[in-house]
């Protein structure tokens, strides 16, 4: 495939923000002479966060609208798509490893199309590397233009040309994209795209662009259609859902208003992720305290317990204000289950700073946490901060932190021992196919023996055992 008309990302442009409200477009499918995917199989790999999982469902929806059929066997696929994550170096290494494997597959099957999308192509360094050393990649596209994927496929399949199309600045919000959802009873619902926070370690504001909120009427009508299809649970998605609506020029409608409207709808369970502590307002807590279909579970990433490190991270809150928010949440929603994200080994983090983090973890009473060692991301401010802590020391801190976090996880499970809980049954347990599994309102994983007819239903279970990572339940027979 030859080299022409490449559109590569420019990090400097990705950093820019305008005040203008984003316009909204309805998706208009391109009319092709014949179905692009007739008789063809595709295989998709999804890395990273829920935003990517939701994007992959849209990619699948687009492909299936053109007759492609999904397979999970790479060897028989005509099209392989990798939806990538850029958040840490490890995630990127995995993708480059996989691409190595496709090189030999393509030698055996030259008509195989390999496409790389998602967050990695939004990085200048990645696209340069792909163009230089990964000639097996036919299509490189980013997060802002996945709705154009079919057009790129047309060029790659019919014209046998390589396509590199990565936009650095986000475009319109595209509504009505087809989506092939993975589950028949749990659905992701994007409420906003992008992030304007610019935490100094984070690549997301560059890869996903400016914060853009979907209009409430579009969100509410998507949720109504999910209800009509029998969905039981929705998870509202955004990098910082608490700042939903701040970008509207012509209306005053915030996250608490959205939760309030959704609370009145006939969907049994509503979750949301991810929240930023600085924007977790009293209005939001008050709506959540209405309970009902608003689940008593909040993921509230704290990142560090040291005020010095929080400042260097540009998090815009302190340990004290975070704990105050937690207290307000606990006062108004006493049964709340809280989880968090924590980064250890941020540049300049001393033993004293780390102890502050351990102290905060104890005080906040988290029932789970995703913990990471700081990974420098090229183009972010923190990648240039002085960092003298040896890697070995960072790993030790991660180990010490995880020990405390795991205790919190276990305590969170223990409080449901001997209680009745409601579980949304998802399917056979991943660890034991003779058991079913699902999640409680508080987002606790439960395994139990039951009839597969229960899959997709809300079932009451008695908890008979609490382990660190899961609960064991039994159907209650009075
Ligand atoms: N290094 C390590 N962890 C990171 N995260 C984001 N950027 C980095 C990075 N450069 C973590 C944060 C965030 C989660 C999704 O990933 O904890 O909340
Ligand atoms: Fe990254 Fe911070 Fe935005 Fe979260 S809020 S996506 S950590 S920049």
């Amino acid at each position: 495939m030859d080299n022409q008309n490449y559109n590569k990302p420019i990090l400097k442009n990705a950093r820019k923000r305008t005040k203008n409200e984003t316009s909204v477009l309805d998706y208009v499918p391109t009319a092709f002479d014949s179905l692009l995917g007739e008789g063809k199989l595709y295989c998709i790999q999804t890395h990273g966060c829920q935003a990517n999982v939701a994007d992959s469902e849209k990619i699948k929806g687009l492909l299936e609208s053109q007759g492609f059929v999904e397979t999970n066997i790479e060897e028989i696929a005509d099209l392989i798509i990798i939806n990538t994550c850029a958040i840490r170096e490890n995630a990127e290494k995995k993708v480059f490893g996989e691409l190595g494997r496709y090189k030999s597959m393509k030698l055996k099957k030259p008509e195989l199309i390999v496409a790389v999308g998602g967050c990695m192509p939004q990085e200048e360094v990645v696209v340069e590397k792909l163009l230089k050393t990964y000639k097996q990649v036919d299509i490189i596209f980013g997060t802002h233009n996945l709705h154009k994927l079919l057009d790129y496929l047309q060029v790659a399949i019919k014209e046998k040309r390589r396509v590199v199309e990565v936009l650095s600045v986000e475009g319109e919000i595209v509504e009505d994209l087809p989506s092939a959802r993975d589950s028949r009873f749990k659905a992701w619902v994007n409420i906003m795209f992008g992030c304007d926070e610019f935490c100094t370690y984070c690549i997301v504001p560059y890869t996903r662009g400016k914060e853009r909120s979907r209009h409430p009427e579009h969100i509410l009508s998507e949720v109504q259609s999910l209800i009509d299809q029998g969905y039981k649970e929705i998870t509202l998605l955004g990098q910082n859902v608490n700042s939903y609506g701040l970008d509207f020029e012509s209306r005053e409608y915030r996250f608490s208003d959205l939760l309030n409207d959704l609370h009145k709808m006939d969907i049994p369970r509503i979750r949301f992720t991810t929240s930023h502590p600085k924007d977790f307002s009293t209005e939001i807590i008050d709506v959540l305290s209405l309970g009902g279909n608003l689940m008593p579970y909040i993921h509230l990433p704290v990142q560090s317990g040291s005020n010095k490190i929080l400042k260097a991270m540009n998090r815009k809150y302190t340990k004290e204000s975070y704990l105050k928010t937690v207290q307000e949440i606990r006062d108004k929603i006493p049964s709340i289950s809280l989880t968090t994200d924590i980064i250890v080994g941020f540049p300049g983090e001393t033993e004293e700073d780390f102890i502050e983090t351990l102290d905060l973890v104890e005080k906040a009473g988290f029932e789970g946490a995703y913990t990471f060692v700081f990974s420098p991301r090229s183009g972010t401010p923190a990648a240039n901060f002085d960092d003298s802590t040896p890697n070995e020391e960072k790993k030790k801190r991660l180990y010490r932190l995880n020990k405390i976090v795991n205790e919190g996880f276990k305590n969170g499970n223990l409080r449901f021992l001997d209680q009745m809980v409601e579980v949304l049954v998802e399917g056979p347990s991943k660890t034991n196919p003779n058991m079913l599994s699902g999640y409680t309102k508080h987002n606790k994983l439960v395994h139990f023996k039951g009839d597969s007819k229960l899959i997709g239903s809300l079932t009451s279970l008695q908890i008979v055992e609490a382990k660190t990572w899961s609960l064991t339940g039994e159907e209650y027979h009075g």
Side-chain angles (χ1 to χ4, degrees):
M1 295 207 177
D2 61 8
N3 287 5
Q4 32 179 301
N5 300 331
Y6 288 175
N7 220 338
K8 301 188 209 166
I10 302 165
L11 210 72
K12 199 166 77 233
N13 295 347
R15 195 176 294 142
K16 287 187 193 145
R17 290 295 183 265
T18 58
K19 284 234 175 316
N20 310 346
E21 185 173 328
T22 308
S23 47
V24 181
L25 269 188
D26 280 337
Y27 174 66
V28 183
T30 311
F32 299 108
D33 296 342
S34 58
L35 283 183
L36 286 180
E38 185 119 61
K40 291 198 166 102
L41 296 173
Y42 77 93
C43 183
I44 186 163
Q45 283 192 33
T46 307
H47 298 262
C49 67
Q50 290 94 337
N52 265 13
V53 177
D55 281 354
S56 282
E57 291 183 341
K58 289 176 190 151
I59 292 174
K60 290 179 194 194
L62 287 167
L63 294 175
E64 290 174 19
S65 74
Q66 281 295 312
F68 283 97
V69 172
E70 187 174 7
T71 173
N72 49 20
I73 308 169
E74 285 173 350
E75 287 72 19
I76 62 170
D78 303 283
L79 164 66
I80 296 179
I81 299 203
I82 315 187
N83 192 4
T84 61
C85 169
I87 200 105
R88 283 171 293 275
E89 200 188 352
N90 273 350
E92 298 203 341
K93 275 193 181 147
K94 253 196 243 163
V95 168
F96 283 118
E98 273 151 17
L99 287 174
R101 205 169 66 235
Y102 301 148
K103 188 171 185 176
S104 53
M105 276 171 68
K106 219 169 147 138
L107 284 174
K108 283 190 224 139
K109 190 174 172 182
E111 68 282 9
L112 171 70
I113 301 280
V114 177
V116 178
C119 285
M120 278 172 66
Q122 296 292 146
E123 298 174 278
E124 279 174 35
V125 280
V126 168
V127 171
E128 290 310 330
K129 189 166 165 179
L130 288 174
L131 289 177
K132 209 165 137 209
T133 19
Y134 293 83
K135 303 267 189 283
Q136 63 272 39
V137 178
D138 303 290
I139 302 175
I140 302 176
F141 66 108
T143 54
H144 300 316
N145 55 345
L146 77 80
H147 59 286
K148 292 273 179 63
L149 178 61
L150 295 176
D151 300 304
Y152 307 149
L153 268 171
Q154 147 97 346
V155 174
I157 296 173
K158 301 263 160 78
E159 298 174 27
K160 308 224 175 314
R161 276 199 292 124
R162 193 181 208 189
V163 182
V164 179
E165 189 71 20
V166 183
L167 313 176
S168 299
V169 178
E170 64 291 326
E172 297 84 359
I173 292 176
V174 184
E175 287 293 344
D176 289 333
L177 274 175
S179 176
R181 298 186 190 266
D182 293 333
S183 163
R184 281 172 296 110
F185 36 87
K186 273 172 78 161
W188 310 110
V189 176
N190 293 106
I191 63 165
M192 58 195 301
F193 305 97
C195 180
D196 287 348
E197 291 305 329
F198 291 96
C199 301
T200 54
Y201 51 81
C202 188
I203 194 73
V204 170
Y206 308 84
T207 63
R208 293 216 165 243
K210 162 178 136 93
E211 251 170 50
R212 291 149 285 155
S213 301
R214 278 180 79 197
H215 292 181
E217 51 276 20
H218 294 135
I219 298 171
L220 298 176
S221 92
E222 182 176 350
V223 173
Q224 187 55 53
S225 133
L226 292 165
I227 295 171
D228 297 342
Q229 293 167 61
Y231 276 83
K232 300 282 186 334
E233 180 176 302
I234 56 165
T235 302
L236 310 174
L237 288 183
Q239 302 302 333
N240 173 10
V241 290
N242 313 120
S243 64
Y244 172 79
L246 292 177
D247 54 326
F248 292 147
E249 276 173 0
S250 46
R251 58 175 117 201
E252 279 285 317
Y253 189 94
R254 302 284 181 260
F255 187 53
S256 53
D257 300 308
L258 182 64
L259 286 177
N260 217 342
D261 281 341
L262 290 168
H263 175 66
K264 295 178 206 139
M265 293 179 79
D266 196 15
I267 182 91
R269 290 180 163 201
I270 300 168
R271 303 188 188 280
F272 53 88
T273 196
T274 274
S275 297
H276 194 302
K278 85 167 169 45
D279 296 321
F280 212 97
S281 63
T282 293
E283 287 78 17
I284 295 173
I285 301 173
D286 286 342
V287 181
L288 289 176
S289 71
L290 297 173
N293 59 1
L294 302 169
M295 292 297 102
Y297 165 68
I298 302 170
H299 183 65
L300 197 58
V302 67
Q303 314 297 359
S304 170
S306 150
N307 287 340
K308 179 189 98 191
I309 296 297
L310 287 171
K311 189 146 197 272
M313 287 175 161
N314 191 30
R315 290 292 287 180
K316 308 178 192 107
Y317 55 85
T318 61
K319 178 184 183 185
E320 294 73 25
S321 68
Y322 182 91
L323 287 172
K324 204 166 150 231
T325 304
V326 167
Q327 195 52 51
E328 186 180 351
I329 294 172
R330 289 199 188 283
D331 287 345
K332 293 180 176 164
I333 317 166
S335 91
I336 198 80
S337 166
L338 282 179
T339 59
T340 198
D341 290 346
I342 297 168
I343 298 176
V344 302
F346 187 80
E349 184 190 73
T350 60
E351 172 66 17
E352 290 71 38
D353 294 315
F354 177 64
I355 301 264
E356 292 283 348
T357 299
L358 297 184
D359 180 57
L360 178 136
V361 170
E362 300 266 16
K363 291 193 167 118
F366 296 122
E367 297 184 1
Y370 296 100
T371 56
F372 312 99
V373 171
F374 168 72
S375 168
R377 308 312 296 133
S378 164
T380 63
N384 301 323
F385 291 175
D386 273 346
D387 187 3
S388 54
T389 312
N391 246 335
E392 272 316 300
E393 173 58 25
K394 294 188 181 193
K395 282 193 202 145
K396 275 190 206 150
R397 284 183 196 166
L398 187 69
Y399 179 81
R400 287 162 65 197
L401 173 63
N402 283 343
K403 253 178 95 167
I404 299 182
V405 164
N406 296 349
E407 277 165 31
F409 211 116
K410 171 127 200 201
N411 289 337
N413 280 336
L414 271 172
R415 69 185 173 110
F416 295 96
L417 190 61
D418 298 328
Q419 309 251 327
M420 293 298 294
V421 295
E422 178 204 84
V423 171
L424 175 54
V425 186
E426 294 197 358
S429 145
K430 287 193 181 110
T431 45
N432 177 354
N434 299 320
M435 306 274 273
L436 294 175
S437 69
Y439 286 86
T440 68
K441 291 184 174 184
H442 295 82
N443 212 34
K444 310 289 176 192
L445 176 62
V446 184
H447 300 292
F448 71 106
K449 271 210 165 66
D451 195 306
S452 59
K453 278 203 299 251
L454 292 172
I455 295 172
S457 73
L458 293 162
T459 303
S460 275
L461 296 174
Q462 166 107 22
I463 297 305
V464 294
E465 193 187 3
K467 299 188 244 184
T468 302
W469 308 118
S470 66
L471 299 165
T472 310
E474 276 177 7
E475 281 184 83
Y476 188 65
H477 299 291

